[in-house]
Amino acid sequence: GCASAWKNVTMFRRGRAFQQDYQVVSFSTVGKRHLEKTGKIVLPSSALEVLTRLQVDYPMLFSLKSDVGILHAGIQEFTADEGNCVMPGWMMDQLGVIDGDIISVRSAFLQKGSYIKLQPRTEDFLNLHNPLVVLEIVLRDFSALTLDQDLVVSYQDSQFYFKVKEIKPLDANSKAISIVEADIHLDFDEPMITKPKAPPPMEDVSHAALPEPTVLPDGTLDYGRRRRPRKLKAKTDSDKEKEPEFVVFSGKGQSLREPRASRPAVAAAPAPAPVSTPATPVAAPVEPKPFTPFGGHARSLKD
């Protein structure tokens, strides 16, 4: 009945699928950088004429095949130059192509998805406020997702990378789903790269007050783990007898009126020892000669 009729229509459409080879051009090259954040392509107007003739219904979805792999995308518009397929740079990276390379574009018939599990590359996206809501808004610019593809999400001048880990329902041939006007449950897997957790800060005990000790039954002081316990020795009666009793002003006084004899003798300071010097020889006395007047010798001026 209805099921067989729908199967025949599907086979008919698949038999007359749109397929064409195009030269790849990036959105940045043609001045449409605002479309770099999407998951859609731009085809020439001639492609729209063929798709209309083949009665391909909305939403129009396409598989993009290169020598590296396959991705699925929606259509943004039909304004590209003839022979060109314009797409986002992230899509070209995954297909392993650059401007001027050739890819095969084919119309695709994908089931509406009901479940998607994404694995973020890092935990940064999960730290955003309401990451699920953010992702639902961003995915409005996408039309299809392929299993195991890398998904690039741009949000608030930042780029977040995901891996499509699981989709439902899973078609064995296309391994892709349509997310256009679909009620999809989003789930996240553990991030590929997790930041190591910082160790807890060490307790600063340099100025911490020591706890009051606890006296244990055996006389030991317990300071916890901060100090070693010290055992107190109880005093005995013999120890008390050895200790001298303290008496106030117990010294012996002296009076200035007491006779000198009664005062304690003060030892005199020892006399300094004589210093010995070497003896100097003394000359013998000389007897003076008697005085004689005019006893000198005469002298002449003629001498």
Side-chain angles (χ1 to χ4, degrees):
C2 294
S4 59
W6 171 252
K7 183 177 180 181
N8 292 334
V9 172
T10 303
M11 292 179 61
F12 171 77
R13 288 183 177 177
R14 286 182 178 177
R16 301 179 56 187
F18 170 84
Q19 183 173 354
Q20 182 68 42
D21 292 341
Y22 289 99
Q23 182 175 266
V24 177
V25 181
S26 67
F27 281 130
S28 299
T29 302
V30 297
K32 296 183 178 182
R33 299 183 62 88
H34 64 284
L35 296 178
E36 288 284 356
K37 302 178 181 180
T38 69
K40 300 180 180 181
I41 60 175
V42 175
L43 294 176
S45 57
S46 59
L48 176 60
E49 297 176 2
V50 176
L51 290 167
T52 303
R53 192 165 54 249
L54 294 176
Q55 298 181 354
V56 177
D57 295 335
Y58 175 86
M60 295 182 180
L61 305 175
F62 301 89
S63 66
L64 314 176
K65 184 178 180 181
S66 69
D67 295 336
V68 175
I70 299 177
L71 286 179
H72 294 79
I75 186 71
Q76 178 69 30
E77 55 192 27
F78 296 92
T79 59
D81 293 339
E82 195 63 37
N84 289 347
C85 174
V86 191
M87 63 177 60
W90 68 266
M91 196 176 290
M92 295 174 60
D93 293 339
Q94 292 192 49
L95 291 173
V97 295
I98 59 175
D99 285 0
D101 289 346
I102 303 299
I103 64 170
S104 176
V105 178
R106 180 184 177 92
S107 59
F109 302 92
L110 305 177
Q111 301 182 60
K112 283 188 177 183
S114 59
Y115 176 82
I116 300 174
K117 177 181 283 189
L118 301 177
Q119 183 182 26
R121 179 178 297 179
T122 65
E123 57 189 7
D124 295 338
F125 184 82
L126 300 180
N127 294 331
L128 295 177
H129 180 65
N130 286 333
L132 282 175
V133 176
V134 173
L135 195 58
E136 288 176 357
I137 296 174
V138 172
L139 287 180
R140 293 173 185 173
D141 292 328
F142 291 76
S143 299
L145 291 178
T146 308
L147 185 65
D148 292 331
Q149 82 164 76
D150 291 329
L151 179 65
V152 182
V153 174
S154 298
Y155 180 72
Q156 291 185 349
D157 299 329
S158 299
Q159 286 189 328
F160 303 95
Y161 299 86
F162 300 84
K163 173 75 74 174
V164 180
K165 299 292 293 184
E166 186 178 350
I167 56 175
K168 293 179 181 180
L170 177 61
D171 184 88
N173 295 321
S174 63
K175 296 183 179 180
I177 57 173
S178 169
I179 61 174
V180 178
E181 298 178 355
D183 185 13
I184 297 178
H185 175 71
L186 286 173
D187 196 6
F188 292 107
D189 203 349
E190 291 293 329
M192 304 178 194
I193 303 174
T194 57
K195 297 179 181 179
K197 296 183 179 180
M202 298 182 63
E203 181 184 1
D204 185 8
V205 297
S206 57
H207 301 287
L210 294 175
E212 293 294 331
T214 303
V215 181
L216 301 179
D218 60 352
T220 303
L221 294 181
D222 184 12
Y223 283 91
R225 295 184 179 180
R226 297 179 184 265
R227 287 187 177 180
R228 288 185 174 182
R230 181 169 57 91
K231 188 173 184 181
L232 296 179
K233 182 180 179 182
K235 292 183 179 181
T236 61
D237 294 339
S238 59
D239 295 334
K240 295 180 180 179
E241 292 177 358
K242 294 179 182 179
E243 295 180 356
E245 182 179 359
F246 176 73
V247 180
V248 182
F249 303 117
S250 60
K252 184 177 181 182
Q254 298 290 337
S255 174
L256 296 177
R257 296 181 179 180
E258 294 181 359
R260 188 176 297 273
S262 62
R263 298 180 186 179
V266 179
V275 179
S276 59
T277 56
T280 304
V282 180
V286 179
E287 291 291 335
K289 294 180 179 182
F291 176 72
T292 304
F294 305 106
H297 297 281
R299 296 283 185 183
S300 175
L301 297 175
K302 293 180 178 183
D303 291 342

